[in-house]
Amino acid sequence: METGDEGAGTATGADVPSASTLDVDRTDPAYRAWLKDAVRKVQADANRSADTHLLRFPLPEAWGIDLYLKDESTHPTGSLKHRLARSLFLYGLCNGWIRPGKPVIEASSGSTAVSEAYFAALIGVPFIAVIPRTTSWEKQRLIEFHGGQCHLVDDPRTVYEVSARLAQETGGHYMDQFTYAERATDWRGNNNIAESIYQQLRLERNPCPAWIVATAGTGGTSATIARYVHYMQLDTLVCVADPENSVFFDGWVSGDDAVACERGSRIEGIGRPRVEPSFVPGAIDRMMKVPDAASIAAVRTLEAAIGRKAGGSTGTGLWSAFKIISEMVAAGRTGSVVTLICDPGDRYLDKYYSDAWLAEQGLDIAPYSATMETFLATGAWQG
């Protein structure tokens, strides 16, 4: 495992090309054969994969409200980011950015890097993940398990420039999920996550959800869901839940995409110190700021209710979904709400499921657990 350094300069993937794509002869039959085979392998992964489950969270029948969780942890690489990584690899290959023998480099908080390491191995190119040193050990292990290399940085804000620099030094391609997530995904359909949710809800009593709650790391998932809703002329509203030490909420409220935060998010996979280019604020209808302690309390509530451990980002979305449902109960409204299980909790046993880690971080989840206990018993939201 490479420790790395903090990098230099202010380059980003959007400002500086990863490397010249002229180092490959586009008319070379050997290159064309490699490209066709690489695209085939990535598409074949999707063809082999079944859809992810839509689970029901138990709520009192009298409320007339259904809560569903789209379980993205069942993808081959265990997270929502498997869809994104597949799209990014197809985008990079078809644009001629990913070339045989040249590394793919990504700035990540872990889960996207795990999935991208898998796809890099699938098509036979090296992979380097530039990740914060605080990234869970289990994610680091999974990146290396899939053949990737971890380049650790102390300051999460430097992952962009370090990735761009490594791409220039190696002649590789900086994938830059934070810029290209919303571009690489076909939001009109093509079995994206939004289309999948609506297909799975077809036979439910409330097939068109009142709300879908997402969280934002790149912003690509919320952009895909919200754009699909508008494109299909649906009545669903989209809420994005944002953790502490993240500026998506602040940028959405103020309309200022230059806001910044000095610290990295404790909820791995979501929350960013800057408003990422893939975040599309105009497409979404609501945002909530969620305390980290509430996110962690929510994943423990989830485990108690359905017997599944999930990562902290799942808790951020679930807390917001509960609050929205409490508002529906208070207003006498019925319907359905959907949120996501983003990744499995076994990646965070030393964090979100560790009381010692909570104490070290100064996080008290008891008040938030009590709020949810009251809510699930009465429908009322206190706090």
Side-chain angles (χ1 to χ4, degrees):
M1 185 178 299
E2 182 180 341
T3 57
D5 58 25
E6 295 305 294
T10 58
T12 67
D15 297 329
V16 179
S18 303
S20 172
T21 56
L22 299 179
D23 57 2
V24 173
D25 180 357
R26 294 290 182 266
T27 65
D28 182 355
Y31 168 74
R32 300 292 291 206
W34 176 86
L35 178 61
K36 287 180 182 178
D37 192 51
V39 170
R40 179 191 63 78
K41 287 175 178 175
V42 176
Q43 291 180 332
D45 172 83
N47 202 47
R48 289 192 302 272
S49 301
D51 202 356
T52 60
H53 302 301
L54 195 63
L55 308 178
R56 287 190 67 182
F57 186 98
L59 295 176
E61 186 67 24
W63 294 0
I65 299 172
D66 302 307
L67 173 59
Y68 301 93
L69 298 109
K70 180 68 166 162
D71 187 4
E72 294 291 284
S73 71
T74 58
H75 283 294
T77 54
S79 84
L80 168 70
K81 300 300 185 180
H82 193 86
R83 294 180 191 268
L84 173 59
R86 182 193 295 132
S87 295
L88 287 168
F89 264 83
L90 287 172
Y91 193 69
L93 285 165
C94 294
N95 283 342
W97 296 343
I98 300 173
R99 291 101 66 222
K102 301 294 185 179
V104 170
I105 295 100
E106 183 62 289
S108 176
S109 60
S111 286
T112 303
V114 173
S115 299
E116 289 185 358
Y118 168 90
F119 282 105
L122 193 67
I123 68 172
V125 297
F127 179 75
I128 302 171
V130 180
I131 56 177
R133 195 175 300 277
T134 55
T135 301
S136 74
W137 281 105
E138 179 62 11
K139 283 186 183 176
Q140 295 182 44
R141 184 192 71 79
L142 287 169
I143 291 166
E144 294 180 341
F145 172 80
H146 289 299
Q149 176 184 345
C150 296
H151 187 104
L152 306 180
V153 298
D154 292 315
D155 184 347
R157 296 172 297 175
T158 66
V159 293
Y160 318 98
E161 61 202 61
V162 173
S163 297
R165 176 174 59 78
L166 286 175
Q168 289 184 312
E169 291 174 354
T170 62
H173 170 57
Y174 171 24
M175 192 73 91
D176 194 2
Q177 60 168 321
F178 299 107
T179 294
Y180 295 107
E182 58 91 8
R183 307 180 198 181
T185 302
D186 184 355
W187 49 267
R188 296 173 185 85
N190 195 21
N191 197 34
N192 65 32
I193 189 171
E195 184 178 55
S196 174
I197 287 169
Y198 283 93
Q199 285 295 321
Q200 290 176 315
L201 285 171
R202 281 187 307 113
L203 301 181
E204 301 300 308
R205 62 177 177 174
N206 297 297
C208 184
W211 287 90
I212 296 178
V213 181
T215 50
T218 62
T221 299
S222 61
T224 297
I225 293 171
R227 286 166 165 171
Y228 182 83
V229 165
H230 300 316
Y231 181 70
M232 298 301 292
Q233 305 158 57
L234 301 167
D235 293 327
T236 304
L237 299 174
V238 176
C239 174
V240 174
D242 202 32
E244 295 176 27
N245 303 322
S246 176
V247 297
F248 286 125
F249 177 86
D250 308 89
W252 185 79
V253 169
S254 67
D256 180 8
D257 61 6
V259 292
C261 177
E262 295 299 312
R263 298 180 59 191
S265 173
R266 284 183 292 202
I267 306 301
E268 288 191 28
I270 61 171
R272 301 301 303 168
R274 71 178 193 184
V275 178
E276 301 295 351
S278 280
F279 181 62
V280 184
I284 61 177
D285 304 292
R286 180 177 181 179
M287 289 200 71
M288 287 192 201
K289 197 72 171 177
V290 179
D292 290 349
S295 297
I296 297 163
V299 294
R300 296 190 178 196
T301 296
L302 177 68
E303 182 184 18
I306 69 170
R308 298 286 296 275
K309 283 185 170 69
S313 57
T314 298
T316 309
L318 184 60
W319 173 269
S320 296
F322 283 163
K323 191 170 190 306
I324 286 171
I325 291 170
S326 74
E327 295 167 357
M328 294 172 67
V329 171
R333 295 179 55 207
T334 59
S336 60
V337 175
V338 179
T339 188
L340 311 176
I341 296 179
C342 303
D343 63 355
D346 57 10
R347 296 181 176 183
Y348 310 99
L349 296 180
D350 60 340
K351 288 191 172 184
Y352 311 135
Y353 293 91
S354 166
D355 290 340
W357 184 84
L358 290 177
E360 177 186 307
Q361 296 292 317
L363 294 171
D364 180 8
I365 68 172
Y368 302 101
S369 296
T371 294
M372 287 181 288
E373 183 178 353
T374 299
F375 159 70
L376 292 172
T378 68
W381 194 263
Q382 299 175 353

